[in-house]
Every structure is written in structure tokens, then in C-alpha cells.
Amino acid sequence: MKIVYSDKHAAHDPQTFFVRGVKQRSTEQPERATRLLAAATSADHEVVAPRTYGTAPAATIHTPEYLDFLRTIARDWATLPNASAEVVPNVHPARYPATYPKALAGRAGWHQVDLACPIGPGTWDAALAASELATTAADMVLEGAHVAYALCRPPGHHAYADMAGGFCFLNNTAIAAQRLRGRHQRVAILDVDVHHGNGTQGIFWERSDVLTVSIHADPSNYYPYFWGHAHETGSGKGEGFNLNLPQPLGSADAPWLAAGDTALARIKDFAPTALVVALGLDASESDPLQGLKVTGPGFHAMGQKIASLGLPTVLVQEGGYLSDDLGRNLVQFLGGFG
């Protein structure tokens, strides 16, 4: 399998993450990508460089004001007196009609939904590069590859059209799906990250041409909390084209794979001609975020199930944090594709 990778991800090394009010270094570290790359190359997968697209693919998903914010905020923030090294908002608009602000602190609160997405001097370059990885993998599939894997970092599935959140800035999964839509009338997205892909759901919420399916830890007691519940099915033209399959915290292989069967049945019913997989490896039993308890063989079995669809497939790396099993789980999943 061809692995699309760029070392530009290392420019983003977030230091700010709050857990129960305690500040610590983010678990979304550059070493994630280098461990995944080492595991993929040791399993004889071929690494290829991304193509250059600039912001055009991201602009098919994200708003102009949001892209401008991501591109300029770290530079402008650094000019403020006594500013922190990373952009971290201290105010957010309430859940009522609001006006877009001019102040940098207000813009940060508008576009950064939580405290898990600090923006540093290298964040924009890394996020843009990740979007180019996803676009390259999608184009490889459009050009005839049966499957391609974009080793994206930072991840993307929590990013909305105009908001960052949960370590995510540009929604690489959505960008890949939209790229495939240029030639495919129906595209499905299957998200197997331990966290619900709330940004992806929001982006396609009112659309019937892209089916979004997510298997994740129950958000009643797990991030992102407000989205990812089973009753969320889409609205307008998108009604019935979003399927959430929340799993009880601590669920192991059997229920996770059973949810995979349910997801695949819905995808088959939708009859897409291309698929994007939001490949989170943080459902692992050894992941530090400890949401689910999926084993290496479980990831392999899920890979086999997805491969059995026989669809042109783009794999987009999402979560999966530092543990001894991180690289092995990637190899197990990719091995399911043969």
C-alpha cells in the first residue's frame, strides 16, 4: 500500500492541553507520526511524497474567514502584549445568535471550540500539509489505486467548517471525501476513531450525497460530549444519512466489530462508489486516552471487514496516541487489506 507522508507535521508541537482543569502537554505529539511511519515502512509499505495544492482543497470544506484565521492568528497573536506562546481562547460565544468579533481573543474563541487545539507558529503549515496528504491520497484513488493511506497529522475529524477542536484544524477526512465527490456521485465515510467525528458530521449534516457513519465511545461520558449520540441522523436533505454507533466505555473487540457489521450494512445500502475511512487507532486497549479496549487482532479484523466492501478507499489518519502498540495496530489494520 502507498503511504502519503510529509515531515511538515513536526512544525506543530502543541504544549497546551487541559484535563480536568490541569494544564499539561498535549497527547497529540509529533512522535505519533514518526512511530506510524516507522511501523508502515517496516511492513514494506511504500512511502510517497504529497503533491502541492495550496488551500484550494481545504476551501471546498472550510469558510474563507476560518482559513484566514488559521493562516494569520499565530503571527498576529504574537504582537499582543504579554501574549502566550500558543493561541488559546479564554472566551467563547454562547449558544445564541452572536456577532463575529474583530478582537483576536474574540476570533480565537469563535474559531477554537475547546482548549485542546492551541495554535502555534507552525500549526498552519502542518495543518495545510495534512490536507495536501489527504488530497493526494484521494487523487491516487481517483487515478486507479484501490486504496491509499494518508498519514495525516494534525488530525482533522473534530474540525467543523469554521471551528477547530479536539487537536484538529482542517478536516482532512471531509476534504478527501469532497475530492472523491468530484467523480463519484455517492461517497461514504466510516469513522472508527474512539472519538465521534463531530466536525465531519457537522460538515455533511444536511447532505445526502455523503453518508457519515461513526463508531466511537459513548459521548454521554466521553469527548466530544455534545455530539455523536444515536439520535443524530442528519437534517433536511441529509436526514437519515448520518449514523452514530456509540459504544459503552471500555468495550472490547466483539461489540466494536459487531458495530462494524452494522456500519457496513448501512454503507452497502447507501451503495457508494468510493469510501473514506477516518482511521483513529485510539480505540486501542493500550491508548492513553482509554475509551475502548480494541486489540491488534480487532484492528486487523476491522480492516478485513472494510476491505470486503471492495470499494476504492482512502484511509485518513486521525487519532491514536503514544503507546507501544500504536505502530503495531496500524500494521494490523493495513494488513486487513491484504
Side-chain angles (χ1 to χ4, degrees):
M1 186 184 302
K2 289 188 176 180
I3 312 297
V4 191
Y5 173 81
S6 167
D7 62 6
K8 290 182 179 180
H9 73 87
H12 175 63
D13 188 6
Q15 301 297 309
T16 307
F17 184 38
F18 284 85
V19 178
R20 299 183 180 94
V22 178
K23 181 182 177 181
Q24 55 190 261
R25 187 185 179 196
S26 175
T27 54
E28 208 289 283
Q29 299 175 20
E31 188 181 349
R32 295 178 57 235
T34 55
R35 285 199 193 187
L36 292 169
L37 178 67
T41 54
S42 71
D44 296 324
H45 295 290
E46 179 185 355
V47 179
V48 300
R51 304 168 191 177
T52 301
Y53 301 92
T55 59
T60 65
I61 293 297
H62 297 285
T63 66
E65 66 184 10
Y66 179 59
L67 293 176
D68 178 70
F69 168 80
L70 291 178
R71 183 171 50 244
T72 62
I73 188 62
R75 178 200 68 199
D76 294 347
W77 188 265
T79 68
L80 295 175
N82 303 313
S84 57
E86 296 178 317
V87 182
V88 180
N90 66 330
V91 61
H92 299 272
R95 291 179 290 110
Y96 299 97
T99 299
Y100 190 72
K102 293 181 180 180
L104 297 182
R107 293 179 72 203
W110 187 281
H111 291 299
Q112 292 168 268
V113 72
D114 56 38
L115 301 182
C117 52
I119 297 173
T123 299
W124 167 248
D125 288 341
L128 182 63
S131 75
E132 292 183 317
L133 298 185
T135 306
T136 300
D139 279 352
M140 289 166 58
V141 168
L142 287 171
E143 292 160 3
H146 185 63
V147 59
Y149 167 50
L151 207 174
C152 295
R153 181 187 170 270
H157 72 153
H158 295 307
Y160 287 86
D162 64 349
M163 287 194 301
F167 309 150
C168 301
F169 303 92
L170 296 178
N171 196 312
N172 308 309
T173 290
I175 290 167
Q178 187 63 28
R179 192 75 173 187
L180 294 175
R181 271 291 290 113
R183 198 171 302 171
H184 294 269
Q185 290 188 343
R186 291 185 303 280
V187 175
I189 296 172
L190 174 58
D191 192 324
V192 297
D193 192 280
V194 75
H195 304 97
H196 174 249
N198 54 306
T200 309
Q201 172 178 290
I203 286 165
F204 297 109
W205 184 247
E206 295 185 343
R207 288 174 56 172
S208 61
D209 57 329
V210 178
L211 173 72
T212 50
V213 182
S214 183
I215 305 169
H216 50 271
D218 187 347
S220 296
N221 291 291
Y222 202 70
Y223 189 91
Y225 303 112
F226 315 110
W227 307 281
H229 301 272
H231 66 265
E232 300 163 14
T233 59
S235 67
K237 291 182 178 179
E239 176 62 43
F241 293 92
N242 184 81
L243 175 63
N244 290 326
L245 299 167
Q247 305 297 297
L249 294 183
S251 293
D253 289 359
W256 191 68
L257 292 171
D261 290 334
T262 301
L264 266 59
R266 178 66 185 96
I267 291 170
K268 289 176 182 177
D269 181 67
F270 179 65
T273 52
L275 175 70
V276 179
V277 177
L279 178 54
L281 297 168
D282 43 5
S284 169
E285 61 183 348
S286 58
D287 191 89
L289 299 187
Q290 289 293 295
L292 300 177
K293 299 291 184 182
V294 177
T295 67
F299 282 109
H300 183 77
M302 184 66 82
Q304 287 181 314
K305 288 177 182 291
I306 295 169
S308 72
L309 290 170
L311 292 170
T313 300
V314 179
L315 307 176
V316 177
Q317 186 62 49
E318 294 289 356
Y321 304 98
L322 296 180
S323 77
D324 291 341
D325 290 331
L326 178 60
R328 288 194 290 265
N329 288 337
L330 173 64
V331 172
Q332 288 268 34
F333 183 88
L334 298 182
F337 284 79

